[in-house]
Amino acid sequence: LAWRVALSVPAVIAFGVACFFYHNSDDCPLGSYKEVRAAGLLQQKSAVDSFRQGIFNLNAWILFVQFGASLGIELVMESGMTMHLSERFGIPVARAAGLASLFGLMNIWARGFGGYISDRLHKMFSLRGRLFLQMALLLLEGLLILCFNQQGSSLNMTLFWMVSFAAAGQMGMGTCFGLIPYIDPRCTGTIAGIVAAGGNFGGVFLSNVFRTSTSDAESFQVMANFCFVAALLTPLLVVSGYRGIVWGQEQTAAATLLTPAIASTRSS
């Protein structure tokens, strides 16, 4: 009975949050879909057309890999960090579990903070600011994983590097979803689904790495390399109407161009 009662708490919270977002959030950066369609700025598309358009978008698959290097790493760490700390430092499993929980607790602030910084950089440097932040966080995450892997017998320093790369990776989740609405507004849902699935892909891939490697140190090296490869894919992200890290032409922001049309529908 206890676990049933415990599960009712997040269920009630989730229902309340869903109601809040339903009444207080927009469907996309331009506003609600109803107003955007009324302004003639968005065509009604079938789910099949949206899926087809999203699944052939290269940017979606780049973010798929990059989200695998953030959420995928978190999934593996949260499932295996307890035993890693216990075996590496010879501490009781119960204590190791408490210390390992610090990894997940970084989510309390890191995901939202990553999205916030991404928004601020977008205001200053347009989409290019979001892209540079995304690449920087993935590179930083890889470097911090190497530091964690090279740390010797100091438990305190190991925990420091652990929470550091946890924060970098979880901020990267926020920056990933800060990019999604700009990839292709006509099929945002499909692209968001593809990117989110990258977290599961990363988790499965890295779990197999740990299962087949000869040591944890070798597995953490592969994990760091995964972050570096994901980071180096960022210059390939080219969004129509925005300048990328290397390619692309910056145009007047779509939201700026479309705001008057949407405003007219809201006043009518």
Side-chain angles (χ1 to χ4, degrees), residues 58-263:
L58 176 62
N59 292 330
W61 293 105
I62 293 174
L63 289 178
F64 171 91
V65 175
Q66 293 184 334
F67 200 63
S70 51
L71 179 61
I73 287 176
E74 179 181 354
L75 294 175
V76 172
M77 290 298 92
E78 289 178 350
S79 64
M81 185 58 73
T82 296
M83 294 309 301
H84 174 78
L85 293 176
S86 178
E87 294 172 0
R88 183 171 174 179
F89 296 101
I91 59 178
V93 173
R95 183 188 175 199
L99 296 174
S101 69
L102 295 173
F103 196 103
L105 287 174
M106 294 299 103
N107 278 303
I108 293 175
W109 64 273
R111 287 196 195 188
F113 187 63
Y116 171 76
I117 297 299
S118 181
D119 290 343
R120 298 294 297 177
L121 289 177
H122 185 101
K123 288 183 178 180
M124 293 186 286
F125 306 107
S126 188
L127 195 71
R128 205 168 188 230
R130 294 185 188 271
L131 294 173
F132 271 112
L133 178 62
Q134 175 92 337
M135 184 168 67
L137 285 172
L138 287 166
L139 290 173
L140 178 62
E141 182 183 15
L143 288 172
L144 292 172
I145 290 171
L146 291 179
C147 292
F148 171 86
N149 194 31
Q150 296 300 318
Q151 181 57 43
S153 58
S154 172
L155 176 60
N156 290 336
M157 286 304 300
T158 297
L159 294 176
F160 170 78
W161 293 121
M162 181 191 76
V163 297
S164 296
F165 85 75
Q170 289 158 16
M171 286 178 67
M173 297 180 213
T175 61
C176 263
F177 274 84
L179 286 165
I180 287 174
Y182 299 91
I183 300 302
D184 190 340
R186 297 166 295 180
C187 51
T188 299
T190 299
I191 292 173
I194 292 171
V195 175
N200 297 328
F201 159 79
V204 171
F205 166 69
L206 291 171
S207 292
N208 285 326
V209 169
F210 273 89
R211 183 173 58 85
T212 57
S213 296
T214 56
S215 66
D216 283 355
E218 180 182 343
S219 300
F220 282 116
Q221 181 66 56
V222 173
M223 183 184 289
N225 292 339
F226 184 33
C227 291
F228 296 143
V229 170
L232 294 176
L233 292 176
T234 309
L236 300 179
L237 276 164
V238 181
V239 180
S240 177
Y242 295 95
R243 183 184 178 192
I245 290 179
V246 178
W247 298 283
Q249 183 70 31
E250 186 75 22
Q251 298 175 6
T252 304
T256 302
L257 289 172
L258 302 180
T259 297
I262 295 174

